[in-house]
Amino acid sequence: MGAEGGKATRADTQRTRELLLDVLGELLESRGLAVSMPELAREAGVSVATVYRHFDDVHDLRQEFYQRTISKLIARLTQLSEEFSGLELFQRMCDDWVLLASQWARAAAFIRSPEGFIERVRHGDPHMGQLYDLLRPVVSGLMTDRVIEERNVDYGVMLWATLFDERVIVDLESGLGWASTSIARRLSATFLDAMQRSR
Amino acid sequence: MGAEGGKATRADTQRTRELLLDVLGELLESRGLAVSMPELAREAGVSVATVYRHFDDVHDLRQEFYQRTISKLIARLTQLSEEFSGLELFQRMCDDWVLLASQWARAAAFIRSPEGFIERVRHGDPHMGQLYDLLRPVVSGLMTDRVIEERNVDYGVMLWATLFDERVIVDLESGLGWASTSIARRLSATFLDAMQRSR
């Protein structure tokens, strides 16, 4: 019973942590970044002490949220890479990225490094490295299939990461009022058009 | 003589301030962002107290450097707008932006807001507002001249600001090792290609 109890407690702890991050996600979407630890506690229906048991401060909270979300996103893109290929894979990656990214874009914009994408990959940022490893074969595959022109693959990967930046997604959503399906369609068309011709 | 002396002092003060910002610019380029107030004093050949008389701290220094540089950049683009038009104006703006931006890109990347471009314009950021006012007629002119297709002008302006983001310029320079002329050429071609077709 003691061991069982211990297990249940660890599972509970993990569940509370996930719950707090879920609630944070909802708060970030509904009211932007001004979320305090007491507010999160109130919304999640737990004590402030519980929130502090899981996270050091608001910065730590956002960081954890960002890490969890980008891990999910990369898992999703990895799964797509196993199921699809070529242009269909590309379009699905664009769609799912925009859909998921719009949920964490505001948090990410405050957290992410001021370095460029390629720099972060080179400096060993693990998530950017995984993203690069996922994107490179997709871009290179589009070149092989002659969907886009043969040219610098790294430039293509960097262009994709630039166009699908969280700030751009937020801008098109809240600045221009576009729906996420329109954003995904427009950004992927922008990428393909930009990579198609050679000047 | 007293009034003359006072004038000279104010002019000296202004000159010292400009000198400090010039030296900061050189340090940012040569050794990145880890520039301290004492280092700046040493490089500029003034006392540490003088640096502190002009700037509160390193953050203030970067902020002032960024403000001064973006003002210069906007003045330069305004001048181009008066002298040129159409595609030539567009190409010259792209070239000069990349050339000047590479000098302040690292500082800017650390200073700039996590908001998107359109959001910053809407929230009244004065420099982004000026930049928007300069870019909008250029993009719209390219549409009138049929250099690019008729479509959402705001998307065009946002796309330009996204592609010519300081982080992208730094990435292509230090990540891929491109020269600023190649960067300007590739980014402007990317913009024109992306805006040319409709999918």
Side-chain angles (χ1 to χ4, degrees):
Chain A
M1 186 67 196
E4 282 287 296
K7 249 187 194 168
T9 306
R10 274 198 299 280
D12 280 355
T13 303
Q14 187 55 32
R15 215 175 296 128
T16 305
R17 187 182 177 81
E18 293 296 320
L19 167 74
L20 288 171
L21 293 173
D22 289 342
V23 172
L24 175 66
E26 289 161 23
L27 289 174
L28 287 174
E29 263 199 284
S30 64
R31 65 173 88 153
L33 273 161
V35 176
S36 68
M37 304 284 269
E39 268 179 308
L40 177 62
R42 196 166 54 242
E43 290 289 330
V46 302
S47 70
V48 177
T50 300
V51 176
Y52 277 100
R53 208 152 42 235
H54 287 275
F55 306 101
D56 293 339
D57 52 28
V58 170
H59 179 78
D60 182 38
L61 196 58
R62 282 185 198 159
Q63 190 75 37
E64 287 297 312
F65 180 74
Y66 173 71
Q67 296 300 337
R68 188 183 72 159
T69 317
I70 196 141
S71 296
K72 277 189 192 170
L73 198 46
I74 285 170
R76 177 74 189 131
L77 299 185
T78 305
Q79 193 192 338
L80 288 174
S81 294
E82 285 155 10
E83 289 174 31
F84 302 95
S85 66
L87 188 57
E88 183 165 13
L89 170 60
F90 174 78
Q91 296 288 15
R92 283 176 185 267
M93 280 175 96
C94 293
D95 290 349
D96 284 15
W97 176 273
V98 171
L99 203 64
L100 286 168
S102 67
Q103 291 166 19
W104 57 288
R106 291 207 170 271
F110 273 84
I111 284 158
R112 49 169 284 191
S113 143
E115 287 186 312
F117 176 71
I118 301 285
E119 280 192 308
R120 282 187 288 162
V121 172
R122 301 239 166 124
H123 293 169
D125 178 320
H127 285 128
M128 291 307 108
Q130 285 173 284
L131 186 58
Y132 177 84
D133 291 343
L134 280 163
L135 288 172
R136 202 176 201 286
V138 177
V139 171
S140 150
L142 293 175
M143 289 179 186
T144 311
D145 296 351
R146 302 185 165 277
V147 174
I148 59 177
E149 281 189 35
E150 205 78 49
R151 58 171 65 167
N152 193 317
V153 182
D154 275 341
Y155 182 72
V157 175
M158 197 278 314
L159 180 62
W160 192 93
T162 300
L163 292 173
F164 287 81
D165 185 284
E166 310 86 42
R167 258 174 297 257
V168 173
I169 294 169
V170 171
D171 231 11
L172 294 174
E173 235 174 17
S174 72
L176 301 187
W178 294 10
S180 64
T181 46
S182 311
I183 296 173
R185 205 177 314 124
R186 174 52 45 214
L187 292 179
S188 69
T190 297
F191 175 85
L192 293 173
D193 289 341
M195 295 295 288
Q196 203 129 29
R197 295 202 188 169
S198 64
R199 270 167 206 272
Chain B
M1 186 67 197
E4 283 286 297
K7 248 186 193 166
T9 305
R10 275 197 300 280
D12 280 354
T13 303
Q14 187 55 33
R15 217 176 295 129
T16 304
R17 190 184 174 79
E18 294 296 319
L19 168 73
L20 289 171
L21 292 173
D22 289 342
V23 173
L24 175 66
E26 289 161 23
L27 290 174
L28 288 173
E29 263 199 283
S30 64
R31 63 174 89 153
L33 272 160
V35 175
S36 68
M37 305 283 270
E39 267 178 309
L40 178 60
R42 196 168 53 242
E43 289 289 330
V46 302
S47 70
V48 177
T50 301
V51 176
Y52 278 101
R53 208 155 41 238
H54 287 275
F55 307 101
D56 293 341
D57 51 28
V58 170
H59 179 78
D60 182 38
L61 196 58
R62 282 185 199 158
Q63 189 76 38
E64 287 297 312
F65 179 75
Y66 173 71
Q67 297 301 337
R68 188 184 72 158
T69 316
I70 197 144
S71 297
K72 277 189 192 171
L73 199 46
I74 285 170
R76 177 74 189 131
L77 298 185
T78 306
Q79 193 192 337
L80 287 175
S81 294
E82 284 154 10
E83 289 173 31
F84 302 95
S85 65
L87 187 57
E88 183 165 13
L89 170 59
F90 174 77
Q91 297 288 15
R92 283 175 184 270
M93 280 175 97
C94 293
D95 290 349
D96 284 14
W97 177 274
V98 171
L99 203 63
L100 286 167
S102 67
Q103 290 165 21
W104 56 287
R106 292 209 169 269
F110 274 84
I111 284 156
R112 52 169 282 191
S113 141
E115 288 186 313
F117 177 70
I118 301 285
E119 279 193 307
R120 281 186 288 163
V121 172
R122 300 238 165 124
H123 293 170
D125 179 319
H127 285 129
M128 292 307 108
Q130 286 172 283
L131 186 57
Y132 177 84
D133 291 343
L134 280 164
L135 288 173
R136 201 175 203 288
V138 178
V139 171
S140 150
L142 291 176
M143 289 179 186
T144 312
D145 295 351
R146 302 186 165 279
V147 174
I148 59 176
E149 281 190 35
E150 205 80 48
R151 58 171 63 166
N152 194 315
V153 182
D154 275 341
Y155 182 72
V157 175
M158 197 278 313
L159 180 62
W160 193 92
T162 300
L163 292 174
F164 287 81
D165 186 283
E166 310 86 41
R167 257 174 298 258
V168 174
I169 294 169
V170 171
D171 230 11
L172 294 175
E173 237 175 15
S174 72
L176 300 187
W178 293 12
S180 63
T181 45
S182 312
I183 297 172
R185 205 177 314 126
R186 174 53 44 215
L187 292 179
S188 68
T190 296
F191 174 86
L192 294 173
D193 290 340
M195 296 294 287
Q196 202 129 28
R197 296 203 187 169
S198 62
R199 271 169 203 271

